[in-house]
Amino acid sequence: MTAAPAPSFSVVSGEQVVEALRGREPEIGELVEAVYRLHGQGESVNPPSYFLRFPDRPSSRIIALPASLGGPLRVDGLKWISSFPENTRSGLPRASAVLILNDPETGYPYACLESSVISATRTASSAALAADRLSRTRTRPARVGFIGTGLIARYIHTHLTATGWEFEETGVHDLSAPSAAGFSSYLERTGAGGKITVHDSPESLVQASDLIVFATVASEPYIHDPSWFAHHPLVLHVSLRDLAPEILLASANYVDDVEHCLKAQTSPHLAEQLTGGREFLDGTLDDVLTGRSTVPADRTVVFSPFGLGVLDLAVGRFVHDEVARRGGLHVVDGFFHELRRYG
């Protein structure tokens, strides 16, 4: 029997990830839509995420997202992402992550990629796709508001503007005044245009916005009054735990995956516990993409994405292949050593 060639293993740095994704927002949006469609067709394996929690650090966690994507984008792998909110006190980002890509034929991992940017990119691209598809039955929002102004908010704004969104006004609210000021400064540097308003309260921002982005680290709902949403905005509930169940029950609700989203005390999970059922859900984003669900124009619409590991795999494979095309892969020679069954 001819010996198989030794598998290679590469490491892709965060700098390489950023360079591979720079200016590719529309292309990544098409990729993310393709993944949602494959997932909706059953061409994926996306087990529940595993949460590693710490009794002595209750605000922190590390999450494992294993997944397998089929069809023309075939790849297996795992995202290992930490969330340590206390990092922000020292100026370090809250989240850090790596992504492992596995060869579907042999199972061998062939790359490790810095993945905080990959994770932010897939989250932002998913949000921008949802904003586009969920707003097609209503007047396109012209006033956007961001509650929570970290990395994810910045990436969502970038993906929105890079895929054709223009805003007359951008609202900003954060519990941290320096964070709100920093995000406002970022908005000014982008030259996106429109008025920038820093709001003192979530209520003020919600009522002044047609498109609302929640990108916080909230662990439980802090917005309880459905009357704030009487103007029926489109809500990208990316951080999943900001809204009380009563707000969801007064809205049309869409998720990325029902089983994933209705767990871990997310707002939709709390709504399920309150009502004893899932009738408050109007469908998934894939249902909207395929025309199985029509988004109402006269109700508040809330998109609550839990975040699918298959999205990370697809974006990670895109980055790996782009870095390889540019000849920039850092191959670790001899990473796999014991390759002979009997020595």
Side-chain angles (χ1 to χ4, degrees), residues 129-243:
L129 174 66
D132 175 50
R133 294 310 181 99
L134 295 174
S135 66
R136 293 192 174 184
T137 56
R138 60 180 62 206
T139 301
R140 191 172 175 90
R143 302 176 300 164
V144 65
F146 289 87
I147 297 181
T149 56
L151 179 74
I152 297 299
R154 175 161 60 86
Y155 268 73
I156 291 175
H157 180 267
T158 297
H159 278 256
L160 286 170
T161 56
T163 52
W165 287 82
E166 296 180 355
F167 300 107
E168 298 172 359
E169 182 173 351
T170 300
V172 177
H173 173 73
D174 198 290
L175 292 177
S176 165
S179 295
F183 189 67
S184 298
S185 177
Y186 152 76
L187 293 172
E188 291 171 355
R189 294 196 308 273
T190 64
K195 180 182 178 183
I196 300 171
T197 303
V198 177
H199 292 264
D200 293 331
S201 69
E203 179 181 5
S204 167
L205 182 142
V206 167
Q207 294 179 338
S209 304
D210 309 312
L211 174 63
I212 303 163
V213 179
F214 286 94
T216 73
V217 293
S219 60
E220 60 184 24
Y222 56 92
I223 294 181
H224 298 271
D225 190 345
S227 70
W228 293 8
F229 301 83
H231 57 302
H232 302 317
L234 171 58
V235 180
L236 303 179
H237 189 208
V238 176
S239 39
L240 287 173
R241 296 173 177 85
D242 305 79
L243 303 177

Side-chain angles (χ1 to χ4, degrees), residues 22 63 84 147 176 181 197 206 257 272 278-279 307 320 339:
R22 191 186 307 277
I63 311 173
F84 279 53
I147 297 181
S176 165
T197 303
V206 167
D257 183 281
E272 179 187 33
R278 299 177 172 182
E279 291 76 12
H320 172 272
L339 295 172

Side-chain angles (χ1 to χ4, degrees), residues 34 50 138 266 330:
Y50 180 81
R138 60 180 62 206
T266 63
H330 299 307

Side-chain angles (χ1 to χ4, degrees), residues 46-52 63-66 122 260 263 306-309:
N46 210 102
S49 304
Y50 180 81
F51 287 71
L52 176 62
I63 311 173
L65 288 81
R122 65 86 151 147
H260 281 73
K263 62 191 296 185
F306 196 81
L308 300 178

